Amino acid sequence: YSFSFSQITITSGDMPSVNGVFVVNTSTPSLSLDPAPTGANYTWDFSSLTSASQHNDTFISVLSIPSLYSIAFLSSTYAVRALQNINLGALTFSDAYNIYKKSTAKYEYSGQGADINSIPTPMVYSPRDLLYTFPLNYGDADSSESGFNITIPTIADYAKARKRVNQVDGWGTLILPSGSFDVLRVKSTIFDRDSIALMAVPFPVVVPSTTIEYKWLGLQQGEPLLQINANQFAVTQIL
């Protein structure tokens, strides 16, 4: 017998929908795990992964989030609550929502609404951060530049500039503890430049960073079946 395998195509129909709920398992970071190998008709065996924690991602309409954010992101599709608070020294981010826009042509990150030092603040990317262009096939590549500028009254000016380079660099079979899946693999290299100018300090603090996202996408799965983020400090997160 002979078996023939063919690559899948990802479309907007494979992305989340409003009211979609997805169970996300986070594994303990492993420095021995190498996510880089890839190719055509490739098999990624991550069957040894174990879950360290679990949470639900619930995609809600932008009309269901605080009105300040609903107005700022009215043209977007849905939002997901962010689990972690972020501390950038003088600035703390809490009660955050990540906001996305889905269309038949692309899937984009619109930005974030969060309490910055207890002040509700929309951070609207203009243009949006391009995550995928549809239909998504092996060998596709694109890039985008995005960012925002905001002022937190009496505290600081905060700006982010981002360049994202996407490449569909593999297709094949992903093996997880939950089973085997036909997938496309998307590698994204993200160059961020955060700038914080405190009102009381005459010069801004600029923090550049580079992150590589590896995402394995399956048909009708909504969120990636597996995502591994590796930043410049060699910290790896597995979802």
Side-chain angles (χ1 to χ4, degrees), residues 26-66:
T26 301
S27 175
T28 302
S30 171
L31 296 179
S32 64
L33 181 67
D34 184 6
T38 191
N41 198 16
Y42 196 88
T43 298
W44 297 271
D45 188 350
F46 294 106
S47 58
S48 63
L49 289 177
T50 57
S51 177
S53 64
Q54 187 180 88
H55 70 272
N56 288 347
D57 276 352
T58 302
F59 286 72
I60 59 177
S61 166
V62 292
L63 300 178
S64 300
I65 61 179

Side-chain angles (χ1 to χ4, degrees), residues 74-88:
L74 193 57
S75 62
S76 294
T77 309
Y78 37 53
V80 182
R81 283 298 297 265
L83 290 182
Q84 296 180 330
N85 295 335
I86 298 174
N87 189 328
L88 293 182

Side-chain angles (χ1 to χ4, degrees), residues 141-210:
D142 57 43
S143 65
S144 65
E145 294 188 11
S146 57
F148 62 82
N149 292 274
I150 59 171
T151 297
I152 303 99
T154 73
I155 300 174
D157 291 327
Y158 174 43
K160 179 186 285 288
R162 167 172 292 180
K163 180 176 182 180
R164 177 187 293 267
V165 180
N166 298 319
Q167 182 180 8
V168 187
D169 66 353
W171 67 270
T173 302
L174 173 66
I175 305 174
L176 296 173
S178 58
S180 298
F181 304 88
D182 294 331
V183 294
L184 286 182
R185 209 281 283 276
V186 180
K187 177 185 178 182
S188 300
T189 305
I190 304 161
F191 305 94
D192 278 337
R193 185 179 183 272
D194 290 271
S195 177
I196 302 172
L198 298 173
M199 301 301 183
V201 179
F203 53 87
V205 176
V206 178
V207 182
S209 62
T210 303

Side-chain angles (χ1 to χ4, degrees), residues 60-132:
I60 59 177
S61 166
V62 292
L63 300 178
S64 300
I65 61 179
S67 58
L68 177 64
Y69 305 150
S70 293
I71 295 170
F73 293 101
L74 193 57
S75 62
S76 294
T77 309
Y78 37 53
V80 182
R81 283 298 297 265
L83 290 182
Q84 296 180 330
N85 295 335
I86 298 174
N87 189 328
L88 293 182
L91 303 180
T92 58
F93 298 73
S94 59
D95 294 326
Y97 292 87
N98 291 311
I99 292 117
Y100 300 86
K101 180 175 177 61
K102 179 176 74 169
S103 68
T104 56
K106 50 194 172 181
Y107 190 66
E108 300 167 291
Y109 180 61
S110 301
Q112 189 175 68
D115 287 352
I116 303 180
N117 291 17
S118 301
I119 301 173
T121 308
M123 291 160 277
V124 182
Y125 281 63
S126 181
R128 297 183 185 93
D129 181 12
L130 178 61
L131 302 183
Y132 315 120

